[in-house]
């Protein structure tokens, strides 16, 4: 017998109990827990659509004939019974009879008491669990069916209206030793009971209100002191916004109870807000998961979430909100004003949600969920309020809420997000006292657009991490590989044979793609010269091909200069640009001897070693004071960066250069990596031109690299057309030569990394696919949280059936190449492809753990 405390409570909603496939999934999950020595308690809803039909039966005024509705309910259950191999009449015959009796009683009297209503509705859950129990018994399990009404007791609320007492009851939930002992004594390995229903202190059936099944499950979890509560629904967790409206919404992998509560309250429908309090009180982790994608980890709600600073986690919106604005006609400072007006709301039975006050105005919102807002009520409210103020009602509003942690302390960072409100009419701004929520009340028809824009600004480019998982699109888009340049689909057989031949992980570079990328850049007519940032990928063949395409080379170390010299002995020195950072002084001296261009990004070497710079030509790297780029570590300009000279120091540099007869020929800015805003470089050109006015010998402006490449499906690529147009406009007004120095843009898409699967593993709910190499070959995901598309090349085109973290063999928990990736059924020996790996892949590889990084192979040209 498993030990008494090992319970897991799983709630399955209507869609999860309505088809044979889903029931098979449920049986599979139950068996897995049983095999792990845990006792699963399944808390089930009624079949899809059944509760609505029962509502019709409970409404004596309903249009549909009760007999037709009863027949439909019967048919739906019997059909499912047949499909799951259960004898429906035997299992449910008695329930059908009870239901018919109850409906007859209602029809006979023509009225219905809330108690009868509750009893009719309860039949839905009672029937679905009877069926489920019978099915589980056919699946090698020993189920124990339990009537939830014998366990969940509603609180005594004699003073409350009957409708509420019977149809929206609440229960106390505390660890229940009697129940635990009773269940421990049962000879069963899976337990099944109903959501939504309970009984009152005199034993009558009551309902737990909307979303009641989630709440039931939470009560059971508390009573059994469960290890965890799993809410299984048709969406795999909570998202940064409603994924049905915003497909780029990101899965929230973890949330605190308070955050989940806030999100559920502010409009996320996956989870009912009432279910959080019981699990929070007993610190029971809550997992939100989907029967559609049972292997997906979903959202974990617990307080074990690291609290690392302020953060917006999600944006939600709630429609149908009514705003009441009250101009106070100079009555402010009058004692009791607020008390008086709120008394009026109370008098009309209206519950106020958000409140904002100023000297001359009080504005509140009325939540449609909590209020019955018919026009009469509002008219009477207006009338009564007019005695104290000038009231105005604005209907059809929406509350758009930012939900997260310590939002107050990060408002300044949200600046750009607020720009979208410029032209909007914001009726009210509210900040929850808990600091978990920041809300705006706007017109309903504006809400969706606002949510979309805010979502784009706040989440679109966020790297995946422990909190922000893949987007809905990435999880469920059947169409794979939307990153451009997927040349590897066409050359799949060649790629597979490369790895099969050696059995070793390998980078593969495609010559054609490399050449095509080089031609894209060379077509930028505004550029006078393009230098390739060699650090992105110094493979000899890459250098050769780029040189053939007329590209020059930017080097950041003597080693890179030497590599270029060796591979391209005939290359004129003029086509090498040496721009190191914190380099030893002799490196500058050697570079001048070689005759290559040199960029200096610090004044000190010039001050301390004027002899090295005397009579030389020099480029100067300036720090424009603001960085761009996809990650903190690759932002190379801005106050926190070690690169460049701030403009304030340029006068000193000019004096020192003059003193030793060193001529400043060019100015340079490189602001970061992975930039897709085409306006970046024209802006830099303008900035450099303004500085160049003080340098009479400057002829060249080097606007740097950092040209971004789409890494995620659906990412917007850099628009080279706009870039060229804007740079050309600049050139028409300025006589400077323009240089650029892209690295990633030329090589990223031309390279992939291939690695065989070594092992797979499931730990808890997380699946792992292990590769023969990891961060020793490709460190970008670990270092920057970079995203690389990952596919199972051996099984390209097979249905994506599992979700896994793709990891390497390095002894570091950060050795993860991709999290929560959708893959086909993946086996050891399969070959996995990591896309967009041609830049900063092999060049950043290392021998950590004394594991040899992936080798490199060139795929030769097929077309001329
Ligand atoms: C790395 C680097 C580049 C190239 O950056 P990409 O993002 O690969 O285009 C260009 N210039 C300088 C100074 C660099 O350090």
């Amino acid at each position: 017998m498993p030990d008494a405390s090992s319970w897991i409570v799983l709630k399955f909603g209507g869609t999860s109990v309505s088809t044979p496939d889903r029931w098979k999934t449920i049986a599979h999950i139950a068996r897995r827990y049983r095999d792990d020595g845990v006792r699963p308690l399944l808390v089930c809803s009624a079949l899809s659509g059944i509760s609505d039909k029962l509502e019709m039966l409970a409404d004596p005024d309903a249009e549909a004939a009760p007999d037709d509705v009863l027949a439909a309910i019967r048919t739906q259950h019997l059909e499912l019974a047949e499909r799951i191999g259960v004898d429906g009449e035997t299992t449910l015959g008695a329930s059908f009879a009870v239901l018919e009796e109850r409906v007859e009683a209602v029809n006979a009297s023509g009225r219905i008491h809330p108690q009868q209503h509750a009893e009719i509705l309860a039949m839905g859950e009672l029937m679905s669990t009877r069926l489920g129990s019978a099915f589980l018994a056919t699946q090698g399990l020993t189920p124990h069916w339990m009537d939830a009404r014998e366990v969940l007791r509603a609180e005594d609320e004699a003073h409350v209206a009957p409708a509420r007492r019977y149809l929206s009851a609440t229960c106390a939930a505390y660890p229940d030793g009697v129940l635990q002992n009773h269940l421990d004594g049962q000879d069963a390995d899976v337990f099944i009971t109903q959501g939504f229903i309970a009984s009152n202190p005199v034993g009558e059936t009551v309902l737990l209100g909307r979303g009641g099944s989630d709440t039931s499950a939470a009560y059971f979890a508390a009573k059994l002191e469960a290890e965890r509560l799993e809410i299984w629904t048709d969406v795999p967790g909570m998202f940064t916004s409603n994924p049905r409206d915003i497909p780029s919404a990101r899965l929230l992998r973890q949330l605190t109870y308070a955050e989940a509560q806030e999100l559920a309250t502010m409009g996320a429908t996956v989870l009912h807000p009432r279910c959080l309090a019981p699990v929070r009180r007993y610190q029971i982790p809550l997992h939100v998961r989907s029967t559609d994608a049972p292997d997906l980890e979903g959202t974990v709600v617990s307080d074990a979430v690291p609290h690392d600073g302020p953060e917006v986690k999600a944006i939600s919106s709630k429609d149908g909100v009514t705003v009441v604005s009250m101009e106070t006609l100079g009555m402010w400072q009058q004692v009791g004003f607020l008390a008086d007006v709120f008394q009026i709301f109370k008098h009309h039975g209206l519950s106020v949600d958000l409140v904002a006050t100023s000297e001359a105005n009080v504005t509140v919102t009325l939540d449609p969920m909590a209020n019955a807002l018919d026009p009469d009520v509002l008219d009477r409210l207006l009338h009564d309020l007019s005695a104290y103020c000038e009231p105005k009602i604005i209907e059809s509003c929406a509350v758009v809420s930012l939900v997260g942690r310590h939002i107050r302390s990060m408002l300044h960072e949200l600046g750009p997000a607020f720009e979208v409100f410029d032209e909007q009419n914001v009726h009210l701004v509210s900040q929850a006292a808990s600091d978990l929520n920041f809300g705006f009340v706007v017109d309903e028809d504006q809400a969706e657009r606002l949510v979309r824009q805010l979502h784009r600004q706040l989440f679109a480019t966020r790297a995946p991490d422990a909190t922000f998982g893949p987007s809905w699109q990435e999880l469920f888009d059947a169409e794979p590989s939307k990153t451009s340049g997927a040349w590897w689909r066409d050359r799949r057989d060649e790629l597979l044979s490369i790895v099969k031949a050696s059995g070793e992980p390998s980078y593969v570079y495609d010559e054609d793609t490399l050449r095509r990328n080089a031609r894209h850049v060379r077509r930028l007519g505004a550029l006078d010269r393009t230098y390739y940032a060699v650090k992105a990928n110094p493979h000899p063949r890459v250098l050769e091909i780029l040189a053939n395409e007329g590209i020059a080379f930017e080097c950041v170390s003597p080693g890179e200069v030497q590599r270029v010299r060796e591979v391209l002995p005939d290359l004129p020195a003029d086509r090498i640009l040496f721009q190191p950072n914190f380099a030893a002084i002799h490196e500058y001296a050697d570079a001048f001897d070689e005759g290559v261009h040199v960029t200096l990004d610090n004044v000190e070497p010039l001050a301390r070693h004027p002899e090295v710079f005397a009579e030389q030509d020099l480029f100067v790297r300036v720090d424009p004071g603001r960085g761009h780029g996809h990650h903190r570590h690759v932002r190379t300009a801005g106050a926190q960066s070690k690169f460049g000279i701030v403009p304030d120091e340029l006068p000193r540099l000019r004096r020192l250069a003059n003193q030793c007869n060193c001529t400043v020929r060019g100015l340079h800015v490189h602001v970061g990596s992975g930039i897709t805003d085409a306006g970046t470089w024209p802006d830099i050109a303008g900035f450099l031109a303004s500085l160049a006015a003080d340098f009479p010998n400057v002829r060249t402006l080097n606007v740097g690299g950092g040209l971004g490449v789409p890494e995620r499906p659906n990412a917007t690529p850099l628009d080279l057309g706009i870039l060229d147009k804007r740079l050309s406009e600049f050139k028409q007004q300025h006589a400077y030569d323009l240089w650029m120095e892209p690295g990633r843009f030329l090589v990223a898409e031309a390279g992939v990394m291939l690695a065989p699967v070594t092992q797979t593993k499931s730990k808890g709910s997380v699946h792992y696919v292990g590769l023969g190499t990891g961060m020793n070959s490709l460190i970008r995901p670990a270092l920057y949280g970079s995203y690389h598309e990952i596919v199972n090349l051996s099984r390209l085109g097979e249905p994506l059936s599992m979700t896994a973290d793709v990891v390497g063999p390095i002894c570091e928990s950060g050795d993860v190449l991709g999290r929560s990736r959708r893959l086909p059924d993946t086996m050891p020996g399969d070959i996995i492809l990591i896309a967009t790996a041609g830049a900063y892949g092999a060049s950043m590889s290392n021998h950590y753990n004394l594991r040899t990084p992936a080798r490199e192979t060139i795929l030769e040209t097929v077309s001329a």
Side-chain angles (χ1 to χ4, degrees):
M1 189 83 0
D3 91 51
S5 60
S6 303
W7 283 96
I8 295 215
V9 175
L10 306 103
K11 177 255 167 174
F12 294 96
T15 49
S16 300
V17 296
S18 296
T19 64
D21 277 353
R22 300 253 166 81
W23 271 109
K24 277 187 203 125
T25 303
I26 294 174
H28 174 74
I29 295 166
R31 271 194 306 266
R32 213 176 54 208
Y33 280 129
R34 176 201 59 192
D35 296 346
D36 288 348
V38 188
R39 299 189 128 194
L41 168 64
L42 317 180
V43 178
C44 301
S45 299
L47 307 192
S48 283
I50 291 297
S51 294
D52 289 344
K53 295 198 180 80
L54 292 169
E55 285 286 359
M56 289 184 209
L57 294 176
D59 177 1
D61 300 329
E63 283 181 13
D67 284 348
D68 293 347
V69 180
L70 278 169
I73 291 175
R74 220 185 151 91
T75 311
Q76 191 178 340
H77 284 90
L78 291 178
E79 274 178 14
L80 177 61
E82 193 181 329
R83 293 176 66 203
I84 59 178
V86 165
D87 181 344
E89 283 295 350
T90 313
T91 314
L92 296 179
S95 305
F96 292 148
V98 171
L99 179 59
E100 272 164 37
E101 247 170 62
R102 291 191 173 145
V103 172
E104 268 165 36
V106 171
N107 288 329
S109 73
R111 284 183 302 120
I112 182 163
H113 185 271
Q115 185 205 337
Q116 292 170 297
H117 190 152
E119 292 204 320
I120 289 178
L121 264 287
M123 294 309 296
E125 275 70 15
L126 290 166
M127 293 188 292
S128 72
T129 50
R130 287 275 184 213
L131 265 190
S133 182
F135 169 72
L136 293 171
T138 68
Q139 298 295 302
L141 287 154
T142 312
H144 175 83
W145 184 89
M146 192 162 76
D147 189 331
R149 295 170 298 181
E150 290 168 11
V151 181
L152 295 185
R153 285 267 179 256
E155 284 170 331
D156 192 359
E157 298 179 305
H159 57 287
V160 182
R164 172 125 193 210
R165 228 180 325 139
Y166 285 101
L167 304 180
S168 195
T170 46
C171 301
Y174 45 83
D176 183 344
V178 176
L179 175 66
Q180 293 179 21
N181 281 337
H182 172 68
L183 295 184
D184 277 347
Q186 302 301 320
D187 178 22
D189 50 20
V190 52
F191 296 75
I192 180 166
T193 193
Q194 307 78 38
F196 190 49
I197 67 175
S199 60
N200 66 15
V202 295
E204 296 165 320
T205 301
V206 299
L207 305 179
L208 299 178
R210 280 185 46 172
S213 290
D214 290 356
T215 315
S216 297
Y219 291 153
F220 278 109
K223 280 177 170 287
L224 294 173
E225 297 176 87
E227 277 180 16
R228 77 159 84 138
L229 167 62
E230 297 184 350
I231 304 278
W232 289 78
T233 87
D234 51 357
V235 274
M238 301 184 90
F239 281 76
T240 50
S241 201
N242 183 350
R244 314 253 187 233
D245 297 336
I246 300 189
S248 62
R250 305 277 296 273
L251 175 66
L252 288 161
R253 300 169 63 140
Q254 51 181 18
L255 288 172
T256 64
Y257 295 108
E259 289 165 345
Q261 171 93 46
E262 197 69 30
L263 252 178
T265 312
M266 294 321 298
T269 50
V270 199
L271 208 56
H272 196 272
R274 282 213 304 195
C275 78
L276 284 153
V279 288
R280 184 179 189 179
R281 188 170 326 122
Y282 299 105
Q283 293 287 305
I284 298 168
L286 184 159
H287 295 227
V288 182
R289 311 184 60 171
S290 165
T291 26
D292 276 344
D295 48 298
L296 196 67
E297 212 182 325
T299 302
V300 181
V301 180
S302 74
D303 279 340
V305 175
H307 293 290
D308 45 4
E311 188 151 57
V312 177
K313 296 274 178 71
I315 303 168
S316 66
S317 86
K318 196 158 62 169
D319 282 355
V321 172
T322 298
V323 171
V324 183
S325 154
M326 295 163 276
E327 293 294 328
T328 60
L329 305 172
M331 294 179 84
W332 66 284
Q333 282 190 342
Q334 185 171 314
V335 172
F337 172 75
L338 285 178
D340 290 338
V341 297
F342 283 125
Q343 188 63 37
I344 295 171
F345 284 91
K346 181 178 174 191
H347 175 72
H348 290 287
L350 295 172
S351 141
V352 165
D353 191 14
L354 306 177
V355 181
T357 65
S358 71
E359 284 178 8
N361 178 285
V362 179
T363 300
V364 304
T365 65
L366 303 172
D367 185 335
M369 301 260 273
N371 295 293
L373 292 173
D374 61 69
D376 288 351
V377 173
L378 292 178
D379 277 350
R380 288 196 299 268
L381 175 74
L382 274 186
H383 175 266
D384 292 357
L385 286 174
S386 316
Y388 296 90
C389 58
E390 208 167 80
K392 194 169 81 184
I393 286 187
I394 310 159
E395 288 180 272
S396 302
C397 294
V399 184
V400 172
S401 310
L402 304 178
V403 177
R405 244 185 290 122
H406 309 309
I407 297 185
R408 198 179 336 203
S409 70
M410 60 175 298
L411 284 180
H412 61 286
E413 289 174 39
L414 297 178
F418 286 102
E419 282 163 20
V420 305
F421 287 105
D422 274 357
E423 351 86 80
Q424 307 301 335
N425 196 357
V426 180
H427 301 300
L428 185 158
V429 174
S430 103
Q431 182 220 310
S434 60
D435 205 10
L436 285 163
N437 176 339
F438 200 88
F440 309 87
V441 181
V442 297
D443 291 335
E444 206 172 85
D445 55 359
Q446 300 290 342
E448 193 186 322
R449 199 179 123 244
L450 285 183
V451 170
R452 222 174 267 289
Q453 290 188 34
L454 283 167
H455 192 273
R456 194 176 316 125
Q457 290 188 25
L458 287 166
F459 301 112
T461 59
R462 269 200 80 114
D465 59 18
T467 297
F468 294 93
S471 71
W472 174 271
Q473 227 157 13
E474 282 160 357
L475 289 171
F476 296 107
D477 244 351
E479 195 188 329
S481 184
K482 296 220 203 79
T483 47
S484 57
W487 52 269
W488 41 265
R489 299 191 156 268
D490 300 334
R491 305 190 73 175
R492 170 173 173 244
D493 294 342
E494 286 164 87
L495 293 177
L496 288 173
S497 64
I498 287 172
V499 182
K500 285 200 183 117
S502 67
E504 297 293 332
S506 185
Y507 278 102
V508 182
Y509 307 130
D510 178 48
E511 288 191 356
D512 283 340
T513 305
L514 205 53
R515 233 176 243 120
R516 205 192 55 218
N517 290 347
R519 287 173 193 173
H520 282 320
V521 174
R522 295 283 287 150
R523 244 179 264 139
L524 294 174
L527 292 185
D528 295 278
R529 195 171 282 181
T530 304
Y531 286 83
Y532 166 60
V534 171
K535 70 179 188 291
N537 186 334
H539 191 282
R541 185 68 189 137
V542 169
L543 302 185
E544 262 172 27
I545 289 173
L546 293 178
N548 277 335
E549 296 298 325
I551 287 182
F553 298 92
E554 188 258 3
C555 302
V556 293
S557 72
E560 286 185 355
V561 175
Q562 197 185 338
R563 167 69 61 92
V564 173
R565 288 290 199 190
E566 277 167 14
V567 176
L568 304 163
D570 300 330
L571 189 80
D574 168 52
R575 299 185 75 81
I576 297 178
L577 169 59
F578 179 61
Q579 26 189 36
N581 174 247
F582 288 103
I585 191 67
H586 69 82
E587 293 187 9
Y588 295 93
D590 292 347
F592 286 128
D593 286 350
E594 292 242 6
V596 304
H597 296 289
V598 174
T599 301
L600 183 65
D601 86 333
N602 179 6
V603 185
E604 292 315 316
L606 192 58
R608 295 176 73 96
H609 302 283
E611 73 286 358
V612 171
F613 297 89
E615 312 295 333
Q616 301 288 359
D617 287 350
L618 194 64
F619 276 65
V620 171
R621 176 166 181 177
V622 184
D623 181 342
R626 66 196 137 86
H628 286 266
H630 56 64
H631 188 275
R632 184 160 36 89
H633 295 162
V634 288
R635 254 169 241 161
T636 53
Q640 340 75 336
S641 137
K642 67 173 180 142
F643 299 95
I645 299 171
V646 292
D648 285 354
E649 276 224 84
L650 289 178
R652 177 168 169 240
L653 175 125
R654 205 165 49 233
R655 269 195 315 279
L656 290 165
N658 283 340
Q659 279 168 20
C660 66
N661 249 346
C662 167
T663 311
V664 177
R665 294 279 181 204
L667 295 178
H668 169 224
V669 160
H670 170 73
V671 284
S673 206
I675 301 165
T676 51
D677 174 2
T680 303
W681 299 272
D683 289 350
I684 292 172
F687 169 74
L688 287 177
S690 70
L691 299 178
D694 294 333
F695 290 87
N697 298 310
V698 165
R699 294 280 168 274
T700 304
L701 305 180
N702 177 355
V703 294
L707 290 73
V709 164
E711 290 172 336
R712 292 170 164 278
N714 303 319
T716 319
L718 172 64
D719 190 330
L720 287 187
I722 293 182
L723 176 61
D724 198 33
K725 177 165 169 285
R726 292 220 22 216
L727 287 179
S728 303
E729 286 163 7
F730 173 86
K731 293 263 296 194
Q732 276 163 17
Q733 287 162 23
H734 300 86
Y736 298 107
D737 280 2
L738 284 182
W739 291 2
M740 260 189 134
E741 43 185 30
R744 166 185 319 285
F745 191 86
L746 290 165
V747 289
E749 288 174 350
V752 296
M753 188 176 85
L754 303 171
V757 175
T758 49
Q759 303 180 11
T760 62
K761 160 151 98 180
S762 296
K763 243 181 82 180
S765 52
V766 186
H767 302 293
Y768 293 95
V769 167
L771 306 186
T773 193
M775 65 190 287
N776 55 325
S777 294
L778 182 64
I779 203 172
R780 298 185 70 242
L783 195 59
Y784 311 128
S786 311
Y787 183 94
H788 289 264
E789 183 179 4
I790 300 179
V791 302
N792 185 329
L793 194 64
S794 305
R795 297 174 196 275
L796 206 58
E798 289 184 21
L800 305 180
S801 57
M802 69 185 295
T803 305
D805 285 6
V806 179
V807 301
I810 300 302
C811 295
E812 242 359 281
S813 50
D815 184 21
V816 179
L817 294 170
R819 287 192 197 272
S820 296
R821 297 310 179 84
R822 297 290 291 162
L823 293 170
D825 245 348
T826 295
M827 306 290 168
D830 286 357
I831 290 160
I832 300 291
L833 177 145
I834 321 272
T836 340
Y840 306 102
S843 67
M844 291 178 92
S845 67
N846 58 77
H847 283 78
Y848 186 38
N849 284 192
L850 295 186
R851 283 193 183 274
T852 308
R855 58 178 72 202
E856 295 173 276
T857 309
I858 294 279
L859 260 196
E860 283 175 12
T861 295
V862 283
S863 60

